[in-house]
Amino acid sequence: MTSTYRSTSTGRRLSAGAAVAGLGLLASWLYVRARARRVEREHPPAGRFITVDGLKLHYLERGEGPVLVLLHGNGVDASDWEHSGLLDAAAEHYRVIAFDRPGFGYSERPRSTVWTPDRQARLLHHALLELNVDSAIVAGHSWGTLVALSLGLQAPDFVRGLVLVSGYYYPSARLDVMVGAPPAVPLVGDALRYTVAPLAGRLIWPAAVGRAFAPMPVAESFRATSPWMSLRPSQLRANAADSSLMIPGAASLARRYGRLKVPVQILAGTQDGVCSCARNAERLHAALRHSELSLTPGVGHMLHYAEPGKVLGAIDAVAAQVGGPGHVPTARENAVAAAGESGV
């Protein structure tokens, strides 16, 4: 009798707990859905759309001149280049195109495709061709550097030069990958993305942003970025999937760096706590014959906020090195190039 009573009592407690948990998940789902809809009303698409390979991409475009393509990192979208001030500064001399990478901002990301850096690069190359771009300088920040490198390897006659900012170039163990990947897991990840993951992400947002900017304070212009744009379920999945692809993506690219033929400017902060400059920027510079390295003391991962002028200077250096689109090398330039190839 006592055993039956205890069993019944335990069953009731479990049922009550399950009911409370179910109500909690329902409440969080309703809240997340409302927040996602609200942030999209407050931050509607600011650029244009193009459909390429059956996928709709959103991009910002400003300025005239040689084409400069900007590729953002994880956790943000193309507007990150705008908030840093670099997009508008570059638009004074370049035709700047900043894409929302697949799944970020307002760009689509079909689940039927594994969006490796190579696959993203191929898609963006096709998009640029659709935009009547026949050559471009490509700049990437953080995860975006993997896509930029992929573009340089895939289309060396299209990519005129690379500017790599705070990049991750070689595989290494990363705690943030293990922590950030679960929302990309089928079924379980779907449940997390629409309920508890956005709420947890909002709680840790200040610490995550602080770590990215450290040792400097968070830039005031970055505060224009709404956390809830990044915490929408669709973007959480893209961010998680890219996190899980980061190590294998870097491993695949690292085997091919020696094939790069385009000039490369590598920039990093010496205090980058996200991508160690010694394990990444310095090592890549040593591996690339046609590269220049610029290290900025006392700056962390968000170098394009701390030193936008330095990033723009690197872009200008590539532009000066390769000349304008359709540029015909002078006799002197040919002689210098020949001397470089012969090792003189």
Side-chain angles (χ1 to χ4, degrees):
M1 183 72 175
T2 302
S3 176
T4 301
Y5 174 78
R6 288 177 179 172
S7 177
T8 302
S9 179
T10 300
R12 288 174 177 170
R13 286 197 297 270
L14 290 174
S15 297
V20 170
L23 288 173
L25 289 174
L26 175 61
S28 61
W29 175 75
L30 290 170
Y31 180 75
V32 167
R33 186 178 66 165
R35 286 299 315 215
R37 290 178 174 177
R38 175 180 169 185
V39 77
E40 289 181 347
R41 289 196 302 269
E42 294 172 345
H43 300 272
R48 305 171 184 173
F49 288 93
I50 183 172
T51 299
V52 59
D53 296 348
L55 185 151
K56 187 166 69 173
L57 288 174
H58 176 252
Y59 65 98
L60 305 175
E61 181 175 359
R62 291 180 197 161
E64 297 180 355
V67 176
L68 169 66
V69 176
L70 301 177
L71 303 173
H72 64 83
N74 262 13
V76 292
D77 55 35
S79 66
D80 186 59
W81 293 107
E82 184 175 36
H83 299 320
S84 72
L86 188 66
L87 192 154
D88 285 335
E92 295 181 11
H93 302 286
Y94 299 91
R95 176 189 175 191
V96 185
I97 301 174
F99 286 101
D100 284 344
R101 293 192 292 106
F104 294 85
Y106 285 99
S107 288
E108 296 177 339
R109 187 183 180 109
R111 299 182 67 155
S112 57
T113 300
V114 179
W115 291 101
T116 63
D118 281 327
R119 186 65 188 84
Q120 293 192 33
R122 192 173 303 115
L123 174 74
L124 296 178
H125 184 204
H126 293 170
L128 289 165
L129 293 175
E130 287 289 327
L131 293 171
N132 297 316
V133 176
D134 55 15
S135 66
I137 296 171
V138 181
H141 173 251
S142 194
W143 212 97
T145 61
L146 296 176
V147 184
L149 284 161
S150 296
L151 258 172
L153 287 164
Q154 290 177 16
D157 295 330
F158 179 88
V159 175
R160 314 187 67 243
L162 299 175
V163 178
L164 308 176
V165 184
S166 306
Y168 175 78
Y169 312 118
Y170 294 93
S172 60
R174 293 179 62 106
L175 179 62
D176 57 335
V177 171
M178 293 182 286
V179 172
V185 177
L187 299 180
V188 173
D190 293 332
L192 290 172
R193 290 187 296 110
Y194 284 91
T195 54
V196 298
L199 304 181
R202 185 63 186 91
L203 288 175
I204 67 173
W205 179 266
V209 171
R211 177 172 176 258
F213 276 92
M216 300 184 70
V218 177
E220 283 300 318
S221 57
F222 183 84
R223 299 184 189 281
T225 302
S226 170
W228 285 102
M229 279 296 292
S230 298
L231 296 172
R232 292 172 300 157
S234 59
Q235 187 155 320
L236 275 179
R237 185 181 183 280
N239 194 73
D242 277 5
S243 293
S244 67
L245 292 167
M246 186 161 54
I247 293 175
S252 173
L253 284 167
R255 295 192 291 267
R256 295 177 276 156
Y257 289 151
R259 304 177 196 170
L260 270 174
K261 299 178 181 179
V262 302
V264 181
Q265 291 279 334
I266 306 168
L267 295 87
T270 61
Q271 301 300 309
D272 190 335
V274 178
C275 297
S276 163
C277 68
R279 290 199 301 265
N280 292 284
E282 293 180 22
R283 187 177 173 187
L284 182 65
H285 173 55
L288 297 182
R289 180 179 177 184
H290 304 290
S291 70
E292 294 186 16
L293 174 65
S294 175
L295 300 180
T296 304
V299 172
H301 193 59
M302 305 299 272
L303 176 64
H304 55 312
Y305 280 85
E307 296 284 353
K310 183 168 288 189
V311 178
L312 186 56
I315 294 167
D316 289 339
V318 170
Q321 184 176 353
V322 300
H327 172 70
V328 178
T330 64
R332 179 180 181 279
E333 289 170 334
N334 283 329
V336 170
E341 290 297 326
S342 63
V344 177

mmCIF file of all heavy atoms in Angstrom, residues 249-288:
data_model
loop_
_atom_site.group_PDB
_atom_site.id
_atom_site.type_symbol
_atom_site.label_atom_id
_atom_site.label_comp_id
_atom_site.label_asym_id
_atom_site.label_seq_id
_atom_site.Cartn_x
_atom_site.Cartn_y
_atom_site.Cartn_z
ATOM 1 N N GLY A 249 37.087 23.627 -41.831
ATOM 2 C CA GLY A 249 37.286 24.589 -42.914
ATOM 3 C C GLY A 249 38.712 25.113 -42.944
ATOM 4 O O GLY A 249 39.340 25.194 -44.007
ATOM 5 N N ALA A 250 39.240 25.468 -41.768
ATOM 6 C CA ALA A 250 40.622 25.945 -41.692
ATOM 7 C C ALA A 250 41.595 24.843 -42.064
ATOM 8 O O ALA A 250 42.603 25.091 -42.737
ATOM 9 C CB ALA A 250 40.907 26.472 -40.284
ATOM 10 N N ALA A 251 41.309 23.618 -41.635
ATOM 11 C CA ALA A 251 42.189 22.490 -41.959
ATOM 12 C C ALA A 251 42.259 22.269 -43.463
ATOM 13 O O ALA A 251 43.337 22.020 -44.027
ATOM 14 C CB ALA A 251 41.709 21.232 -41.250
ATOM 15 N N SER A 252 41.118 22.354 -44.130
ATOM 16 C CA SER A 252 41.086 22.160 -45.578
ATOM 17 C C SER A 252 41.853 23.255 -46.305
ATOM 18 O O SER A 252 42.614 22.987 -47.243
ATOM 19 C CB SER A 252 39.628 22.121 -46.059
ATOM 20 O OG SER A 252 39.556 22.094 -47.465
ATOM 21 N N LEU A 253 41.668 24.490 -45.865
ATOM 22 C CA LEU A 253 42.339 25.607 -46.523
ATOM 23 C C LEU A 253 43.838 25.605 -46.263
ATOM 24 O O LEU A 253 44.629 25.948 -47.144
ATOM 25 C CB LEU A 253 41.728 26.924 -46.045
ATOM 26 C CG LEU A 253 40.361 27.282 -46.622
ATOM 27 C CD1 LEU A 253 39.736 28.424 -45.847
ATOM 28 C CD2 LEU A 253 40.486 27.657 -48.094
ATOM 29 N N ALA A 254 44.242 25.238 -45.055
ATOM 30 C CA ALA A 254 45.654 25.306 -44.686
ATOM 31 C C ALA A 254 46.521 24.468 -45.624
ATOM 32 O O ALA A 254 47.685 24.809 -45.881
ATOM 33 C CB ALA A 254 45.842 24.847 -43.245
ATOM 34 N N ARG A 255 45.969 23.391 -46.143
ATOM 35 C CA ARG A 255 46.728 22.535 -47.060
ATOM 36 C C ARG A 255 46.931 23.193 -48.419
ATOM 37 O O ARG A 255 47.754 22.732 -49.220
ATOM 38 C CB ARG A 255 45.998 21.197 -47.247
ATOM 39 C CG ARG A 255 45.923 20.351 -45.984
ATOM 40 C CD ARG A 255 45.451 18.940 -46.301
ATOM 41 N NE ARG A 255 44.055 18.911 -46.721
ATOM 42 C CZ ARG A 255 43.026 18.706 -45.888
ATOM 43 N NH1 ARG A 255 43.261 18.538 -44.581
ATOM 44 N NH2 ARG A 255 41.787 18.674 -46.338
ATOM 45 N N ARG A 256 46.182 24.279 -48.686
ATOM 46 C CA ARG A 256 46.226 24.902 -50.015
ATOM 47 C C ARG A 256 46.803 26.309 -50.020
ATOM 48 O O ARG A 256 46.878 26.952 -51.077
ATOM 49 C CB ARG A 256 44.811 24.933 -50.603
ATOM 50 C CG ARG A 256 44.227 23.560 -50.885
ATOM 51 C CD ARG A 256 42.792 23.682 -51.405
ATOM 52 N NE ARG A 256 41.841 23.801 -50.309
ATOM 53 C CZ ARG A 256 40.641 24.374 -50.430
ATOM 54 N NH1 ARG A 256 40.267 24.920 -51.571
ATOM 55 N NH2 ARG A 256 39.824 24.408 -49.389
ATOM 56 N N TYR A 257 47.208 26.821 -48.868
ATOM 57 C CA TYR A 257 47.678 28.209 -48.823
ATOM 58 C C TYR A 257 48.838 28.464 -49.774
ATOM 59 O O TYR A 257 48.986 29.560 -50.324
ATOM 60 C CB TYR A 257 48.093 28.583 -47.402
ATOM 61 C CG TYR A 257 46.934 28.729 -46.441
ATOM 62 C CD1 TYR A 257 47.108 28.474 -45.080
ATOM 63 C CD2 TYR A 257 45.672 29.127 -46.871
ATOM 64 C CE1 TYR A 257 46.061 28.605 -44.182
ATOM 65 C CE2 TYR A 257 44.619 29.258 -45.988
ATOM 66 C CZ TYR A 257 44.813 28.995 -44.640
ATOM 67 O OH TYR A 257 43.777 29.126 -43.752
ATOM 68 N N GLY A 258 49.674 27.471 -49.979
ATOM 69 C CA GLY A 258 50.816 27.649 -50.863
ATOM 70 C C GLY A 258 50.434 27.926 -52.307
ATOM 71 O O GLY A 258 51.275 28.383 -53.101
ATOM 72 N N ARG A 259 49.168 27.663 -52.668
ATOM 73 C CA ARG A 259 48.723 27.892 -54.043
ATOM 74 C C ARG A 259 48.237 29.321 -54.283
ATOM 75 O O ARG A 259 47.942 29.692 -55.424
ATOM 76 C CB ARG A 259 47.585 26.931 -54.391
ATOM 77 C CG ARG A 259 47.926 25.455 -54.192
ATOM 78 C CD ARG A 259 46.698 24.596 -54.490
ATOM 79 N NE ARG A 259 46.829 23.241 -53.974
ATOM 80 C CZ ARG A 259 45.836 22.362 -53.922
ATOM 81 N NH1 ARG A 259 44.630 22.721 -54.356
ATOM 82 N NH2 ARG A 259 46.023 21.155 -53.420
ATOM 83 N N LEU A 260 48.107 30.118 -53.220
ATOM 84 C CA LEU A 260 47.610 31.485 -53.380
ATOM 85 C C LEU A 260 48.557 32.297 -54.249
ATOM 86 O O LEU A 260 49.772 32.317 -54.015
ATOM 87 C CB LEU A 260 47.452 32.167 -52.013
ATOM 88 C CG LEU A 260 46.108 32.030 -51.314
ATOM 89 C CD1 LEU A 260 46.187 32.629 -49.918
ATOM 90 C CD2 LEU A 260 44.992 32.696 -52.107
ATOM 91 N N LYS A 261 47.998 32.993 -55.230
ATOM 92 C CA LYS A 261 48.805 33.785 -56.147
ATOM 93 C C LYS A 261 48.574 35.281 -55.996
ATOM 94 O O LYS A 261 49.251 36.081 -56.629
ATOM 95 C CB LYS A 261 48.488 33.359 -57.588
ATOM 96 C CG LYS A 261 48.784 31.896 -57.888
ATOM 97 C CD LYS A 261 48.395 31.547 -59.315
ATOM 98 C CE LYS A 261 48.672 30.088 -59.623
ATOM 99 N NZ LYS A 261 48.259 29.730 -61.015
ATOM 100 N N VAL A 262 47.590 35.675 -55.197
ATOM 101 C CA VAL A 262 47.233 37.087 -55.100
ATOM 102 C C VAL A 262 47.933 37.725 -53.903
ATOM 103 O O VAL A 262 48.281 37.033 -52.938
ATOM 104 C CB VAL A 262 45.706 37.256 -54.968
ATOM 105 C CG1 VAL A 262 45.002 36.632 -56.162
ATOM 106 C CG2 VAL A 262 45.197 36.644 -53.664
ATOM 107 N N PRO A 263 48.170 39.043 -53.954
ATOM 108 C CA PRO A 263 48.762 39.716 -52.801
ATOM 109 C C PRO A 263 47.821 39.686 -51.597
ATOM 110 O O PRO A 263 46.596 39.789 -51.762
ATOM 111 C CB PRO A 263 48.997 41.139 -53.290
ATOM 112 C CG PRO A 263 48.078 41.317 -54.443
ATOM 113 C CD PRO A 263 47.930 39.968 -55.077
ATOM 114 N N VAL A 264 48.385 39.551 -50.417
ATOM 115 C CA VAL A 264 47.590 39.414 -49.201
ATOM 116 C C VAL A 264 48.113 40.366 -48.129
ATOM 117 O O VAL A 264 49.321 40.395 -47.844
ATOM 118 C CB VAL A 264 47.632 37.967 -48.660
ATOM 119 C CG1 VAL A 264 46.772 37.847 -47.402
ATOM 120 C CG2 VAL A 264 47.186 36.976 -49.717
ATOM 121 N N GLN A 265 47.203 41.132 -47.560
ATOM 122 C CA GLN A 265 47.497 41.961 -46.392
ATOM 123 C C GLN A 265 46.867 41.288 -45.178
ATOM 124 O O GLN A 265 45.664 41.035 -45.166
ATOM 125 C CB GLN A 265 46.922 43.370 -46.574
ATOM 126 C CG GLN A 265 47.598 44.205 -47.640
ATOM 127 C CD GLN A 265 48.879 44.853 -47.159
ATOM 128 O OE1 GLN A 265 49.051 45.104 -45.960
ATOM 129 N NE2 GLN A 265 49.800 45.125 -48.088
ATOM 130 N N ILE A 266 47.675 41.000 -44.164
ATOM 131 C CA ILE A 266 47.202 40.313 -42.968
ATOM 132 C C ILE A 266 47.283 41.281 -41.797
ATOM 133 O O ILE A 266 48.354 41.819 -41.499
ATOM 134 C CB ILE A 266 48.055 39.060 -42.673
ATOM 135 C CG1 ILE A 266 48.103 38.144 -43.889
ATOM 136 C CG2 ILE A 266 47.516 38.315 -41.460
ATOM 137 C CD1 ILE A 266 49.147 37.040 -43.784
ATOM 138 N N LEU A 267 46.145 41.503 -41.129
ATOM 139 C CA LEU A 267 46.102 42.422 -39.989
ATOM 140 C C LEU A 267 45.583 41.687 -38.763
ATOM 141 O O LEU A 267 44.658 40.865 -38.864
ATOM 142 C CB LEU A 267 45.196 43.619 -40.285
ATOM 143 C CG LEU A 267 45.634 44.575 -41.392
ATOM 144 C CD1 LEU A 267 45.128 44.100 -42.748
ATOM 145 C CD2 LEU A 267 45.128 45.985 -41.126
ATOM 146 N N ALA A 268 46.143 41.996 -37.605
ATOM 147 C CA ALA A 268 45.694 41.380 -36.361
ATOM 148 C C ALA A 268 46.074 42.259 -35.181
ATOM 149 O O ALA A 268 47.018 43.056 -35.257
ATOM 150 C CB ALA A 268 46.308 39.981 -36.199
ATOM 151 N N GLY A 269 45.318 42.098 -34.096
ATOM 152 C CA GLY A 269 45.648 42.756 -32.843
ATOM 153 C C GLY A 269 46.446 41.802 -31.968
ATOM 154 O O GLY A 269 46.138 40.611 -31.897
ATOM 155 N N THR A 270 47.453 42.320 -31.299
ATOM 156 C CA THR A 270 48.303 41.445 -30.490
ATOM 157 C C THR A 270 47.584 40.884 -29.273
ATOM 158 O O THR A 270 48.016 39.887 -28.708
ATOM 159 C CB THR A 270 49.558 42.191 -30.019
ATOM 160 O OG1 THR A 270 49.165 43.312 -29.206
ATOM 161 C CG2 THR A 270 50.374 42.692 -31.201
ATOM 162 N N GLN A 271 46.465 41.508 -28.889
ATOM 163 C CA GLN A 271 45.716 41.053 -27.718
ATOM 164 C C GLN A 271 44.416 40.352 -28.100
ATOM 165 O O GLN A 271 43.476 40.291 -27.309
ATOM 166 C CB GLN A 271 45.395 42.249 -26.802
ATOM 167 C CG GLN A 271 46.617 42.994 -26.304
ATOM 168 C CD GLN A 271 47.534 42.096 -25.499
ATOM 169 O OE1 GLN A 271 47.097 41.412 -24.581
ATOM 170 N NE2 GLN A 271 48.815 42.102 -25.832
ATOM 171 N N ASP A 272 44.373 39.806 -29.303
ATOM 172 C CA ASP A 272 43.169 39.107 -29.775
ATOM 173 C C ASP A 272 42.973 37.830 -28.957
ATOM 174 O O ASP A 272 43.763 36.890 -29.057
ATOM 175 C CB ASP A 272 43.318 38.768 -31.262
ATOM 176 C CG ASP A 272 42.020 38.273 -31.892
ATOM 177 O OD1 ASP A 272 41.164 37.743 -31.159
ATOM 178 O OD2 ASP A 272 41.867 38.418 -33.116
ATOM 179 N N GLY A 273 41.895 37.801 -28.169
ATOM 180 C CA GLY A 273 41.594 36.637 -27.346
ATOM 181 C C GLY A 273 40.707 35.626 -28.044
ATOM 182 O O GLY A 273 40.397 34.579 -27.475
ATOM 183 N N VAL A 274 40.296 35.921 -29.263
ATOM 184 C CA VAL A 274 39.439 35.017 -30.035
ATOM 185 C C VAL A 274 40.271 34.206 -31.017
ATOM 186 O O VAL A 274 40.130 32.992 -31.119
ATOM 187 C CB VAL A 274 38.334 35.802 -30.770
ATOM 188 C CG1 VAL A 274 37.474 34.865 -31.616
ATOM 189 C CG2 VAL A 274 37.471 36.565 -29.768
ATOM 190 N N CYS A 275 41.140 34.892 -31.758
ATOM 191 C CA CYS A 275 42.036 34.231 -32.723
ATOM 192 C C CYS A 275 43.460 34.697 -32.442
ATOM 193 O O CYS A 275 43.831 35.819 -32.816
ATOM 194 C CB CYS A 275 41.650 34.577 -34.160
ATOM 195 S SG CYS A 275 40.007 34.029 -34.668
ATOM 196 N N SER A 276 44.225 33.882 -31.779
ATOM 197 C CA SER A 276 45.600 34.236 -31.425
ATOM 198 C C SER A 276 46.389 34.653 -32.663
ATOM 199 O O SER A 276 46.448 33.924 -33.653
ATOM 200 C CB SER A 276 46.297 33.033 -30.767
ATOM 201 O OG SER A 276 47.693 33.191 -30.774
ATOM 202 N N CYS A 277 47.009 35.830 -32.608
ATOM 203 C CA CYS A 277 47.742 36.304 -33.786
ATOM 204 C C CYS A 277 48.998 35.468 -34.013
ATOM 205 O O CYS A 277 49.426 35.290 -35.159
ATOM 206 C CB CYS A 277 48.078 37.786 -33.654
ATOM 207 S SG CYS A 277 49.285 38.189 -32.384
ATOM 208 N N ALA A 278 49.594 34.918 -32.961
ATOM 209 C CA ALA A 278 50.789 34.093 -33.137
ATOM 210 C C ALA A 278 50.461 32.791 -33.845
ATOM 211 O O ALA A 278 51.188 32.339 -34.732
ATOM 212 C CB ALA A 278 51.431 33.816 -31.779
ATOM 213 N N ARG A 279 49.341 32.166 -33.469
ATOM 214 C CA ARG A 279 48.967 30.882 -34.071
ATOM 215 C C ARG A 279 48.300 31.047 -35.425
ATOM 216 O O ARG A 279 48.165 30.075 -36.163
ATOM 217 C CB ARG A 279 48.017 30.114 -33.143
ATOM 218 C CG ARG A 279 48.662 29.593 -31.887
ATOM 219 C CD ARG A 279 47.826 28.478 -31.267
ATOM 220 N NE ARG A 279 46.493 28.903 -30.925
ATOM 221 C CZ ARG A 279 46.121 29.336 -29.713
ATOM 222 N NH1 ARG A 279 47.013 29.398 -28.738
ATOM 223 N NH2 ARG A 279 44.884 29.704 -29.473
ATOM 224 N N ASN A 280 47.877 32.253 -35.750
ATOM 225 C CA ASN A 280 47.140 32.446 -36.991
ATOM 226 C C ASN A 280 47.811 33.458 -37.924
ATOM 227 O O ASN A 280 48.368 33.082 -38.954
ATOM 228 C CB ASN A 280 45.705 32.865 -36.675
ATOM 229 C CG ASN A 280 44.908 31.754 -36.031
ATOM 230 O OD1 ASN A 280 44.481 30.825 -36.706
ATOM 231 N ND2 ASN A 280 44.702 31.820 -34.718
ATOM 232 N N ALA A 281 47.769 34.746 -37.585
ATOM 233 C CA ALA A 281 48.272 35.774 -38.493
ATOM 234 C C ALA A 281 49.766 35.611 -38.776
ATOM 235 O O ALA A 281 50.198 35.635 -39.943
ATOM 236 C CB ALA A 281 47.994 37.160 -37.910
ATOM 237 N N GLU A 282 50.572 35.441 -37.737
ATOM 238 C CA GLU A 282 52.012 35.336 -37.944
ATOM 239 C C GLU A 282 52.357 34.062 -38.716
ATOM 240 O O GLU A 282 53.243 34.059 -39.584
ATOM 241 C CB GLU A 282 52.731 35.370 -36.596
ATOM 242 C CG GLU A 282 52.615 36.705 -35.888
ATOM 243 C CD GLU A 282 53.335 36.719 -34.555
ATOM 244 O OE1 GLU A 282 54.248 35.896 -34.354
ATOM 245 O OE2 GLU A 282 52.971 37.556 -33.699
ATOM 246 N N ARG A 283 51.668 32.996 -38.399
ATOM 247 C CA ARG A 283 51.925 31.731 -39.085
ATOM 248 C C ARG A 283 51.527 31.808 -40.557
ATOM 249 O O ARG A 283 52.242 31.309 -41.434
ATOM 250 C CB ARG A 283 51.158 30.613 -38.381
ATOM 251 C CG ARG A 283 51.466 29.221 -38.906
ATOM 252 C CD ARG A 283 50.710 28.191 -38.092
ATOM 253 N NE ARG A 283 50.846 26.852 -38.675
ATOM 254 C CZ ARG A 283 50.186 25.779 -38.245
ATOM 255 N NH1 ARG A 283 49.349 25.903 -37.195
ATOM 256 N NH2 ARG A 283 50.357 24.608 -38.825
ATOM 257 N N LEU A 284 50.391 32.443 -40.841
ATOM 258 C CA LEU A 284 49.965 32.569 -42.235
ATOM 259 C C LEU A 284 50.948 33.437 -43.015
ATOM 260 O O LEU A 284 51.289 33.120 -44.166
ATOM 261 C CB LEU A 284 48.556 33.167 -42.301
ATOM 262 C CG LEU A 284 47.977 33.312 -43.707
ATOM 263 C CD1 LEU A 284 47.770 31.944 -44.354
ATOM 264 C CD2 LEU A 284 46.657 34.086 -43.680
ATOM 265 N N HIS A 285 51.389 34.514 -42.419
ATOM 266 C CA HIS A 285 52.357 35.394 -43.086
ATOM 267 C C HIS A 285 53.621 34.620 -43.450
ATOM 268 O O HIS A 285 54.170 34.785 -44.551
ATOM 269 C CB HIS A 285 52.693 36.570 -42.173
ATOM 270 C CG HIS A 285 53.793 37.441 -42.685
ATOM 271 N ND1 HIS A 285 53.774 38.026 -43.933
ATOM 272 C CD2 HIS A 285 54.983 37.808 -42.112
ATOM 273 C CE1 HIS A 285 54.880 38.736 -44.119
ATOM 274 N NE2 HIS A 285 55.629 38.603 -43.041
ATOM 275 N N ALA A 286 54.083 33.757 -42.554
ATOM 276 C CA ALA A 286 55.278 32.962 -42.833
ATOM 277 C C ALA A 286 55.050 31.980 -43.980
ATOM 278 O O ALA A 286 55.989 31.623 -44.703
ATOM 279 C CB ALA A 286 55.709 32.211 -41.573
ATOM 280 N N ALA A 287 53.787 31.571 -44.160
ATOM 281 C CA ALA A 287 53.471 30.569 -45.195
ATOM 282 C C ALA A 287 53.211 31.186 -46.566
ATOM 283 O O ALA A 287 53.287 30.482 -47.574
ATOM 284 C CB ALA A 287 52.260 29.742 -44.769
ATOM 285 N N LEU A 288 52.900 32.483 -46.606
ATOM 286 C CA LEU A 288 52.526 33.130 -47.863
ATOM 287 C C LEU A 288 53.652 34.023 -48.375
ATOM 288 O O LEU A 288 54.079 34.952 -47.683
ATOM 289 C CB LEU A 288 51.251 33.961 -47.692
ATOM 290 C CG LEU A 288 49.977 33.201 -47.320
ATOM 291 C CD1 LEU A 288 48.809 34.166 -47.238
ATOM 292 C CD2 LEU A 288 49.681 32.096 -48.322
#
